[in-house]
Amino acid sequence: MDELFDIPTELKKIPHQPGVYLMHDETDEIIYVGKAVDLYRRVHQYFQSRYKGPKIEQMVTRIRRFEYIVTDSELEALVLECNLIKEHRPKYNTMLKDDKTYPYIKVTLGEEYPRVLFSRQMKKDASKYFGPYTSSWAVKKTIELLCKLYGIRTCRRVLPRDIGKERPCLNYHIHQCPAPCQGYVTKENYQERVQKAVRFLSGDYKPILSELEEKMHRAAEALEFEKAAEYKELLSNVRAVAQKQKITDSDGEDRDIIALAKDDRDAVVQVFFVREGKLLGREHFHVTIGNEDTPGDILSVFLRQYYAGTPFLPKEILLQTEVEDRETIEAWLSDRRGKAMHLRVPKKGSREKLVELAASNAEMILSRDKERIRREEGRTIGAVKEIASLLGLEQIGRMEAYDISNTSGFESVGSMVVYEKGKPRRNEYRKFRLRTVTGPDDYASMHEVLTRRFQHGLKEREEMKAAALATGENPDEELGRFAKFPDLILMDGGKGQVNVAEKVLSDLHLSIPVCGMVKDDSHRTRGLYYNNREIPIEKTGEGFKLITRIQDEAHRFAIEYHRSLRGKDQVHSVLDDIPGIGPERRKALMKHFASIDEIRQADVEQLLEPEHMNRRAAESVYRFFHEEEKEEKNR
């Protein structure tokens, strides 16, 4: 999830073009997919103040970022929207849950006397499919038009088996069918009619439009206004369905379409994923390049790096430009796939249009993201470099920050947040429920948290080294939960907190830089405490902003954990973590002793005094609270 995505800023960058937009929630799940004639206007509408209905209002509150794909027409956007909704099943697109498909025009070329049919499915058969289209009514009208103009049969008779078995239908008598069912037209002549219809559906519709326009004008000149209106309506229907579809291939194959856009130092490679003939998704990749790198060079490197790691390999990859080592890459990919795989550079037709569409999206992403990428680098990697320079450290990769949150005498918690290269690693955050500290003693609480964190880390490292000796694997690979140590520890406080951390590290024989985040009277960071001195930090710099974000994140994480414990139906205490102590014994202990500290100081005989306690339970409580003390003595 990109925490730097600023919705107001990104709204300004949306183009006034048709396309599809995808809304993401805080977990980066796609929650809505929509299409628009004008992406700029449509997406802006979601974030305007006027009421949009309860469902959309709820959806808008969950949006954390959005993305979009530009297309050449609204029709293509609608078809792509359908494909993406079927693929991702967004929560707020439930109106399309019926899995309704868009219509195709099917020409049954597998028959000796083909027909032109309406179809909701595209199958891998001998037929030729056109579409999908957005208007069922317009498709039916177009089929009707084609049958009238070219004399295509509409019956279900099996020809030539049924030739002459029945009388010709009404269409023959009104001169709309040459009656192949009676043998009144040769197979060759009928096939020629069908091929004209196929050429029309393939985009060669200018002759038909010219003919219809001429008939419309002649009818109007002859004052036959009803017939002229009929031709005008047919013209409108033809134009509605004659747009060549580039979003879907009729052969139903799996292929990737790859194109790029570049400037002097950056490039964006756009990949469209076509599965079973449908464009179901896409991904873009940013590439740092040199001035001498050509598009062919960039694509060659990308193909080798990307397809070395992807599990699925399509039958065909369409490229924007030729790559010098095409044959070698083809042989490598074919070997990986286990079947022949081809790299092609289409020069015409729908596939060339798909490549052009990928290239235009790459160009748009490069232009849109260039400023954002540089800003992000400044706020993350640049900010880390600024902090490292301020502290005199060579480099900082991983930073850990800690905070303590107190509830009452029976509950204190600690938090650990992790940042790598200036970005949060939320899957590595950790929570601590304190065992040895009662009340709001932040220094003692921090001492326990840090001791437990690094003791766990050292233990995991020893276990991993032992496992490595047994298996021969590198012990630095696949570190455990705590085995990865930071390059810098950030403490939510000044000298006192830093001293606590340095004492823990010294006791454990660890050497890790510790830096305190010193606050002013308004509880805002005013500087850093490092190597026994306070270092002022420029408040407008990216380093200061990153320190503030880390400090706020550590505090938020601790508070959330603290609230989750308080929000439970029962008061949850450290006693709940002791094996053998259930709700009844916990209540009895809390009733008999005045505080957790008294329970900690009690011996086994004293722990037997409360109701419901037996020797096993008493010994379990005693061991739990004296575990830390035993570990200290052993060390």
Side-chain angles (χ1 to χ4, degrees):
M1 184 60 201
D2 186 357
E3 67 172 6
L4 297 177
F5 191 93
D6 182 64
I7 289 179
T9 301
E10 298 301 325
L11 283 172
K12 297 176 183 178
K13 301 176 183 178
I14 302 175
H16 288 281
Q17 292 178 250
V20 173
Y21 54 92
L22 300 90
M23 303 297 192
H24 293 253
D25 66 7
E26 60 185 3
T27 65
D28 214 28
E29 179 183 355
I30 296 174
I31 59 174
Y32 188 78
V33 175
K35 63 95 179 174
V37 180
D38 187 319
L39 283 167
Y40 181 92
R41 293 179 181 175
R42 186 70 185 95
V43 177
H44 271 70
Q45 289 175 358
Y46 287 99
F47 301 97
Q48 293 172 352
S49 58
R50 60 172 178 243
Y51 182 69
K52 296 172 280 291
K55 184 175 181 180
I56 299 299
E57 291 280 359
Q58 183 187 33
M59 186 265 289
V60 170
T61 63
R62 296 186 59 190
I63 297 174
R64 294 297 177 269
R65 75 176 184 93
F66 57 80
E67 57 179 327
Y68 46 88
I69 307 174
V70 296
T71 60
D72 284 345
S73 68
E74 181 190 9
L75 185 60
E76 291 180 2
L78 202 153
V79 174
L80 178 55
E81 175 197 38
C82 179
N83 292 342
L84 291 173
I85 289 173
K86 288 180 183 178
E87 176 71 11
H88 298 289
R89 300 288 182 182
K91 178 178 179 180
Y92 291 95
N93 284 98
T94 50
M95 70 289 295
L96 296 178
K97 197 173 181 179
D98 60 351
D99 202 29
K100 179 180 178 181
T101 56
Y102 292 103
Y104 295 85
I105 295 177
K106 175 181 180 179
V107 183
T108 60
L109 297 180
E111 298 178 339
E112 292 192 38
Y113 292 86
R115 295 168 293 161
V116 180
L117 305 176
F118 179 98
S119 176
R120 287 281 183 186
Q121 294 180 329
M122 185 171 66
K123 300 179 180 179
K124 291 185 178 181
D125 53 22
S127 300
K128 191 173 184 63
Y129 293 84
F130 298 89
Y133 301 106
T134 58
S135 171
S136 300
W137 178 80
V139 167
K140 292 174 182 177
K141 284 291 184 181
T142 301
I143 293 174
E144 180 182 336
L145 169 66
L146 291 172
C147 292
K148 287 180 180 179
L149 291 176
Y150 299 115
I152 309 297
R153 70 185 182 100
T154 59
C155 65
R156 297 183 179 179
R157 297 175 186 178
V158 180
L159 304 180
R161 186 194 68 186
D162 295 337
I163 289 180
K165 290 185 176 180
E166 298 181 26
R167 291 182 298 176
C169 65
L170 179 63
N171 284 346
Y172 168 73
H173 297 288
I174 60 175
H175 309 292
Q176 290 187 7
C177 178
C181 61
Q182 303 300 313
Y184 295 164
V185 60
T186 65
K187 181 179 177 181
E188 291 73 20
N189 180 274
Y190 187 84
Q191 288 282 356
E192 185 178 344
R193 295 168 181 262
V194 172
Q195 289 304 315
K196 288 182 179 180
V198 168
R199 285 195 293 272
F200 163 75
L201 292 171
S202 298
D204 186 17
Y205 51 84
K206 290 184 179 179
I208 301 300
L209 290 174
S210 298
E211 182 179 343
L212 287 174
E213 287 177 356
E214 184 180 348
K215 288 182 177 181
M216 180 182 67
H217 292 312
R218 283 206 306 262
E221 290 172 0
L223 304 180
E224 296 176 341
F225 298 117
E226 289 185 5
K227 186 174 290 188
E230 180 182 348
Y231 287 130
K232 182 178 180 181
E233 183 181 3
L234 288 173
L235 272 170
S236 177
N237 293 338
V238 169
R239 291 184 178 121
V241 298
Q243 298 181 57
K244 187 71 178 80
Q245 295 304 296
K246 299 185 288 298
I247 290 299
T248 300
D249 280 349
S250 59
D251 60 7
E253 294 290 352
D254 295 333
R255 57 173 54 92
D256 290 351
I257 296 94
I258 302 178
L260 64 84
K262 64 183 286 289
D263 57 17
D264 293 339
R265 51 177 290 187
D266 298 302
V268 169
V269 178
Q270 178 81 58
V271 184
F272 280 3
F273 306 106
V274 175
R275 301 295 179 257
E276 296 184 357
K278 296 180 180 179
L279 177 58
L280 294 181
R282 57 92 176 85
E283 186 63 84
H284 66 268
F285 303 87
H286 291 277
V287 183
T288 301
I289 62 172
N291 291 330
E292 70 282 358
D293 290 329
T294 66
D297 295 334
I298 299 168
L299 288 180
S300 175
V301 172
F302 176 80
L303 289 170
R304 285 180 268 128
Q305 292 183 0
Y306 176 71
Y307 288 103
T310 183
F312 178 82
L313 296 173
K315 180 180 179 180
E316 183 179 61
I317 298 175
L318 304 183
L319 299 175
Q320 179 185 22
T321 186
E322 287 285 358
V323 293
E324 185 175 342
D325 48 356
R326 179 172 66 92
E327 293 182 1
T328 303
I329 295 176
E330 273 187 345
W332 169 61
L333 292 174
S334 298
D335 182 65
R336 284 203 66 221
R337 184 172 182 261
K339 298 179 181 178
M341 187 173 180
H342 302 285
L343 304 179
R344 306 188 194 280
V345 181
K347 300 298 184 183
K348 61 181 180 179
S350 62
R351 298 179 186 181
E352 182 193 24
K353 296 298 183 183
L354 267 174
V355 173
E356 290 176 356
L357 189 62
S360 65
N361 274 270
E363 188 70 45
M364 179 192 65
I365 292 169
L366 179 64
S367 175
R368 181 196 69 189
D369 286 357
K370 185 183 298 184
E371 177 187 348
R372 182 180 168 199
I373 290 170
R374 291 174 183 171
R375 186 175 72 247
E376 179 180 353
E377 288 179 350
R379 297 182 67 182
T380 55
I381 298 175
V384 172
K385 290 180 178 178
E386 187 177 317
I387 295 170
S389 176
L390 196 64
L391 301 179
L393 300 176
E394 186 175 340
Q395 65 176 24
I396 301 173
R398 177 187 176 98
M399 294 184 287
E400 292 180 3
Y402 298 83
D403 194 20
I404 301 296
S405 180
N406 298 295
T407 58
S408 64
F410 279 96
E411 196 66 81
S412 287
V413 300
S415 69
M416 173 185 116
V417 300
V418 179
Y419 275 65
E420 287 189 358
K421 296 181 179 180
K423 294 183 179 180
R425 293 291 298 268
R426 293 186 174 87
N427 62 324
E428 298 187 25
Y429 287 10
R430 294 292 178 259
K431 305 171 183 176
F432 300 85
R433 183 177 297 153
L434 299 184
R435 300 174 178 175
T436 64
V437 181
T438 302
D441 188 340
D442 284 355
Y443 289 165
S445 298
M446 190 61 72
H447 186 280
E448 178 186 332
V449 167
L450 291 171
T451 300
R452 287 167 56 185
R453 182 263 180 272
F454 287 106
Q455 280 183 342
H456 278 304
L458 290 170
K459 184 179 179 180
E460 285 184 357
R461 287 189 169 192
E462 290 299 321
E463 291 173 349
M464 292 169 61
K465 287 180 181 178
L469 291 174
T471 62
E473 296 178 356
N474 188 338
D476 292 329
E477 295 179 359
E478 298 185 6
L479 295 177
R481 293 192 310 159
F482 292 101
K484 189 185 296 185
F485 286 176
D487 301 308
L488 178 67
I489 296 174
L490 293 169
M491 305 302 297
D492 187 33
K495 181 177 180 179
Q497 291 280 20
V498 170
N499 289 342
V500 170
E502 289 179 340
K503 174 67 166 59
V504 171
L505 295 173
S506 175
D507 291 343
L508 297 175
H509 307 291
L510 295 174
S511 179
I512 301 174
V514 182
C515 177
M517 297 178 282
V518 185
K519 303 172 187 175
D520 57 21
D521 294 337
S522 301
H523 205 71
R524 296 176 181 174
T525 302
R526 72 165 187 254
L528 302 177
Y529 183 83
Y530 183 67
N531 281 346
N532 296 317
R533 65 187 182 95
E534 184 175 324
I535 303 173
I537 184 170
E538 178 60 49
K539 292 186 177 181
T540 59
E542 293 298 340
F544 175 83
K545 294 176 183 177
L546 177 59
I547 289 288
T548 303
R549 290 198 298 273
I550 295 174
Q551 190 175 42
D552 292 343
E553 181 72 350
H555 186 63
R556 177 199 66 78
F557 193 54
I559 289 295
E560 281 189 0
Y561 184 38
H562 159 267
R563 287 175 179 170
S564 71
L565 297 179
R566 286 191 306 171
K568 293 185 177 180
D569 294 335
Q570 63 188 39
V571 178
H572 195 96
S573 79
V574 69
L575 300 178
D576 292 314
D577 294 333
I578 304 176
I581 301 301
E584 291 298 324
R585 285 175 177 159
R586 179 179 62 82
K587 291 177 183 178
L589 285 168
M590 293 176 66
K591 184 177 181 180
H592 184 82
F593 295 97
S595 67
I596 290 289
D597 197 43
E598 281 194 14
I599 298 174
R600 181 184 298 109
Q601 295 173 4
D603 58 26
V604 174
E605 297 303 322
Q606 290 172 320
L607 292 169
L608 280 169
E609 295 175 4
E611 189 180 3
H612 305 300
M613 291 295 290
N614 57 31
R615 184 162 293 276
R616 174 183 282 183
E619 289 176 349
S620 181
V621 174
Y622 185 84
R623 283 195 303 269
F624 179 83
F625 283 111
H626 291 77
E627 182 180 299
E628 297 287 338
E629 181 181 338
K630 288 181 181 179
E631 289 180 357
E632 289 284 339
K633 289 180 180 179
N634 291 334
R635 288 191 294 105

